[in-house]
Amino acid sequence: GDSVTQMEGPVTLSEEAFLTINCTYTATGYPSLFWYVQYPGEGLQLLLKATKADDKGSNKGFEATYRKETTSFHLEKGSVQVSDSAVYFCALINTNAGKSTFGDGTTLTVKP
Amino acid sequence: EAGVAQSPRYKIIEKRQSVAFWCNPISGHATLYWYQQILGQGPKLLIQFQNNGVVDDSQLPKDRFSAERLKGVDSTLKIQPAKLEDSAVYLCASSLGSPLRTDTQYFGPGTRLTVL
């Protein structure tokens, strides 16, 4: 079946540091890829997505590029802020079946 | 625009009891999802509906879990009887179109279930 593997956390960074959270996947066909974020005390919300190879999703300074050759969708941000502290989930939708699969999440803490 | 509503927010029961969760999706959203999120893990899809039909329920433990979406709007998820390992947050999400369209899923706040 489909699977998503994220780098283990927690990740602790200082404000303005560069962020990378690794995500790799296995899936049949050509899945669509997503990053969701869960801020403390809030529900899951979509951060960005990419629906085909070489697409780059971006939002709020975060970026991720759909790399089919390495089956990866790493999340990056050039300069993190304290307000970026949250749990980040990588996910895919198998477009053959419309079924969602999530990674286990990576907790990011940004210190001032 | 109102978001996805879920109730109750918290529930504590003893093992072998039954429990039900309710979800009201965003108005007009055709697809509704139920996920189980165990502490420290990502959400696991239990069942998804398109309108009032089941699209996928391959990961729903059907001996104890059931779900319905009457009239293609609200949905309920039931566990009977509950086991200790059912302790988790149950998330409801909805999306505008078919799951094959990969529309954005909007999540509710979840129901935190503790089974003692």
Side-chain angles (χ1 to χ4, degrees):
Chain A
D2 300 339
S3 67
V4 175
T5 303
Q6 291 182 232
M7 66 184 284
E8 290 191 16
V11 175
T12 303
L13 296 174
S14 297
E15 209 165 19
E16 299 183 4
F18 183 86
L19 168 71
T20 299
I21 300 178
N22 291 338
C23 171
T24 57
Y25 67 90
T26 58
T28 55
Y30 301 96
S32 293
L33 303 174
F34 304 79
W35 277 100
Y36 284 84
V37 59
Q38 187 168 30
Y39 297 104
E42 299 184 17
L44 274 165
Q45 56 187 277
L46 179 68
L47 180 60
L48 54 84
K49 68 179 182 182
T51 58
K52 60 184 188 295
D54 299 325
D55 267 4
K56 178 185 284 189
S58 61
N59 186 25
K60 298 182 180 180
F62 291 89
E63 293 183 339
T65 302
Y66 188 141
R67 301 287 188 200
K68 184 169 176 288
E69 62 277 13
T70 54
T71 62
S72 65
F73 193 55
H74 305 322
L75 183 68
E76 297 183 335
K77 186 175 186 182
S79 176
V80 294
Q81 305 300 312
V82 172
S83 56
D84 294 327
S85 297
V87 183
Y88 292 82
F89 293 90
C90 185
L92 66 84
I93 291 182
N94 185 317
T95 52
N96 290 337
K99 190 172 170 180
S100 305
T101 302
F102 280 75
D104 283 339
T106 302
T107 300
L108 170 67
T109 302
V110 180
K111 297 191 172 181
Chain B
E1 179 183 76
V4 176
Q6 290 187 248
S7 68
R9 292 295 308 277
Y10 305 91
K11 190 74 177 178
I12 300 174
I13 61 173
E14 296 192 348
K15 60 183 179 185
R16 291 188 289 273
Q17 287 187 322
S18 63
V19 64
F21 312 125
W22 173 82
C23 173
N24 182 231
I26 292 173
S27 177
H29 279 197
T31 303
L32 185 147
Y33 311 78
W34 282 104
Y35 291 87
Q36 179 193 59
Q37 186 175 16
I38 293 172
L39 186 64
Q41 298 181 18
K44 182 180 100 173
L45 180 67
L46 293 176
I47 187 169
Q48 63 185 44
F49 297 90
Q50 184 174 354
N51 298 312
N52 59 352
V54 175
V55 175
D56 185 277
D57 63 356
S58 57
Q59 299 191 100
L60 187 74
K62 298 181 187 64
D63 57 333
R64 298 183 301 106
F65 286 64
S66 64
E68 60 182 8
R69 189 182 185 198
L70 297 177
K71 301 181 182 178
V73 182
D74 292 6
S75 178
T76 56
L77 176 70
K78 297 179 181 178
I79 307 174
Q80 182 179 5
K83 293 185 175 181
L84 296 176
E85 58 261 35
D86 298 332
S87 294
V89 176
Y90 290 84
L91 298 168
C92 180
S94 69
S95 64
L96 182 62
S98 157
L100 297 178
R101 281 179 42 182
T102 67
D103 290 341
T104 298
Q105 293 184 38
Y106 295 87
F107 284 81
T111 296
R112 183 176 298 276
L113 173 67
T114 302
V115 182
L116 303 176

